[in-house]
């Protein structure tokens, strides 16, 4: 079982910055191995899922990953627990920590994840916050790795909103030695803190980070084009006003024609066809979107196994 990185045991995963570049590489290698079926470890532990926002992929992939490892999952829907009736987070965290082995949380404030980490005494996994979506980035990088073999030196371009998905992707790409470009409308740039962290990592690895308002320049020669919704969960009221603002950043066939001929198309899903991505792009031959969604399962299984450790 030496292929399961022991260094992550007992640790939380709230951000890509919680792991080293070497640990990222080891997680991706393990995820690929698990996907191949050549390693079938067991891990009879209990995962809790506390999701304050909707989810299809994250919820189901975490659940199936744990079942395939021989573990158990408890769905802690906030509406059917005392959480929705105002029990303090610090109390909930302390109690859940007495029952569960690991807890994945989808919430609004990144700070709530830190609170759970501080009070629960068990590893906490970020299943999406307003700031970041690090589990998504693991699957994204696994998908690029499958397409190109080597991540280092490749260029990924993200077009659209500088949001949670963009943030984790930027950090992950920089850690993997990739060049990362973000093209977004003025006012929708990634958070300065995340950009600064990405630039620092890229400087150490000798790669480039670009944030621009020019989608065509950003897409030119890229090995992967990636987009996400123009209005994230919690921003539904803003969605219609954003459509004309974001239209020049749509991932469509014209933009794809500017990229490397072997470029792949990525989207974390759920997608709004003919808003941030055209039907032709998501359904076309360069799309790896469905592999990307599948890879959530393999990447998170690798993460859970590393955090919990395999059964003896
Ligand atoms: N990409 C992603 O996190 O999807 P869900 O919201 O369905 O979990
Ligand atoms: N940015 C999106 C991602 C959904 C998986 C959101 O937060 O709604």
């Amino acid at each position: 079982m030496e292929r399961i990185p022991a260094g992550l045991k007992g640790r939380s995963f709230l951000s890509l910055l919680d792991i080293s570049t070497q640990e990222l590489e080891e997680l991706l290698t393990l995820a690929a191995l698990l996907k191949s079926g050549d390693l079938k470890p067991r891990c009879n532990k209990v995962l809790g899922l506390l999701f304050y926002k909707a989810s299809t992929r994250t919820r189901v992939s975490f659940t199936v990953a744990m079942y395939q490892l021989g573990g158990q999952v408890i769905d802690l829907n906030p509406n059917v627990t005392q959480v929705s009736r105002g029990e303090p987070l610090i109390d909930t965290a302390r109690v859940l920590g007495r029952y569960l082995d690991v807890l994945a949380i989808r919430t609004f404030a990144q700070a709530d994840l830190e609170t759970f980490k501080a009070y629960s005494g068990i590893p906490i996994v970020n299943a999406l916050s307003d700031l970041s979506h690090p589990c998504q980035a693991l699957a994204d990088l696994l998908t690029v790795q499958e397409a190109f073999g080597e991540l280092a030196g490749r260029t990924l371009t993200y077009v659209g909103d500088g949001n949670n998905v963009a943030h984790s992707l930027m950090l992950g790409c920089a850690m993997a030695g990739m060049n990362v470009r973000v093209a977004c409308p003025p006012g929708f740039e990634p958070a300065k803190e995340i950009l600064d962290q990405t630039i620092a990592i890229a400087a150490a690895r000798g790669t480039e980070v670009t944030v621009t308002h020019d989608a065509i320049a950003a897409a030119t020669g890229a090995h992967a084009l990636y987009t996400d919704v123009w209005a994230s969960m919690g921003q539904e009221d803003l969605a219609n006003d954003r459509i004309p603002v974001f239209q020049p950043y749509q991932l469509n066939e014209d933009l794809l024609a500017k990229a490397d001929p072997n470029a792949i198309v990525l989207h974390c899903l759920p997608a709004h066809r003919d808003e941030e991505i055209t039907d032709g792009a998501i359904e076309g031959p360069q799309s790896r979107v469905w592999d990307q969604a599948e890879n959530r399962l393999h990447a998170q299984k690798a993460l859970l196994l590393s955090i919990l450790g395999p059964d003896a």
Side-chain angles (χ1 to χ4, degrees):
M1 292 293 176
E2 71 280 359
R3 289 170 290 186
I4 301 169
L8 288 174
K9 193 162 181 199
R11 282 164 52 188
S12 290
F13 183 63
L14 306 189
S15 158
L16 263 299
L17 297 175
D18 286 343
I19 62 174
S20 67
T21 55
Q22 190 189 329
E23 286 164 343
L24 174 61
E25 196 180 317
E26 288 170 355
L27 272 179
L28 296 176
T29 301
L30 177 59
L33 188 61
L34 292 167
K35 184 172 183 176
S36 75
D38 289 344
L39 184 69
K40 293 190 185 298
R42 304 289 290 174
C43 180
N44 183 18
K45 299 278 173 60
V46 182
L47 164 71
L49 298 177
L50 182 56
F51 280 35
Y52 294 84
K53 298 179 182 179
S55 169
T56 297
R57 279 144 290 271
T58 311
R59 179 191 299 282
V60 178
S61 56
F62 263 118
T63 304
V64 173
M66 206 61 198
Y67 287 172
Q68 289 182 351
L69 289 169
Q72 320 279 322
V73 180
I74 303 179
D75 189 351
L76 299 157
N77 181 338
N79 293 324
V80 297
T81 62
Q82 298 288 3
V83 169
S84 60
R85 297 183 60 250
E87 182 165 5
L89 276 195
I90 58 172
D91 294 359
T92 303
R94 281 180 286 202
V95 172
L96 291 179
R98 299 293 177 104
Y99 306 138
L100 302 168
D101 296 303
V102 59
L103 176 59
I105 304 175
R106 170 166 287 199
T107 189
F108 296 85
Q110 185 84 10
D112 289 350
L113 299 169
E114 298 286 354
T115 301
F116 269 95
K117 179 181 169 183
Y119 284 88
S120 67
I122 57 170
I124 302 299
V125 174
N126 179 355
L128 180 146
S129 70
D130 286 351
L131 183 71
S132 57
H133 197 2
C135 291
Q136 179 68 52
L138 295 181
D140 301 340
L141 292 171
L142 179 61
T143 311
V144 179
Q145 187 169 277
E146 285 174 346
F148 294 105
E150 183 84 8
L151 290 172
R154 303 290 172 184
T155 297
L156 181 144
T157 294
Y158 175 94
V159 286
D161 187 20
N163 62 14
N164 45 7
V165 167
H167 288 160
S168 294
L169 192 61
M170 289 165 66
L171 290 170
C173 286
M175 288 170 69
M178 297 172 67
N179 303 305
V180 57
R181 304 175 188 161
V182 175
C184 57
F188 294 92
E189 293 83 5
K192 184 176 182 310
E193 175 197 8
I194 303 285
L195 179 59
D196 289 347
Q197 290 162 342
T198 305
I199 289 170
I201 296 165
R205 302 225 38 171
T207 58
E208 291 176 8
V209 182
T210 310
V211 176
T212 174
H213 301 135
D214 185 342
I216 291 173
T220 300
H223 300 103
L225 295 188
Y226 194 125
T227 194
D228 182 19
V229 291
W230 291 340
S232 286
M233 288 181 276
Q235 300 176 330
E236 287 78 4
D237 292 353
L238 306 170
N240 283 340
D241 290 346
R242 287 192 178 186
I243 289 174
V245 177
F246 278 84
Q247 196 61 42
Y249 302 89
Q250 184 185 62
L251 204 174
N252 56 33
E253 293 89 323
D254 289 344
L255 198 69
L256 190 52
K258 304 288 180 197
D260 184 275
N262 295 315
I264 60 170
V265 169
L266 299 172
H267 190 309
C268 59
L269 304 173
H272 297 74
R273 281 174 172 71
D274 297 323
E275 288 188 22
E276 77 274 3
I277 192 164
T278 56
D279 202 54
I282 197 170
E283 299 292 354
Q286 289 165 272
S287 173
R288 293 290 179 278
V289 165
W290 317 113
D291 293 334
Q292 182 186 7
E294 178 189 331
N295 285 338
R296 299 293 306 277
L297 168 65
H298 309 297
Q300 285 156 202
K301 195 190 287 181
L303 179 70
L304 289 170
L305 197 54
S306 304
I307 287 175
L308 295 168
D311 290 348

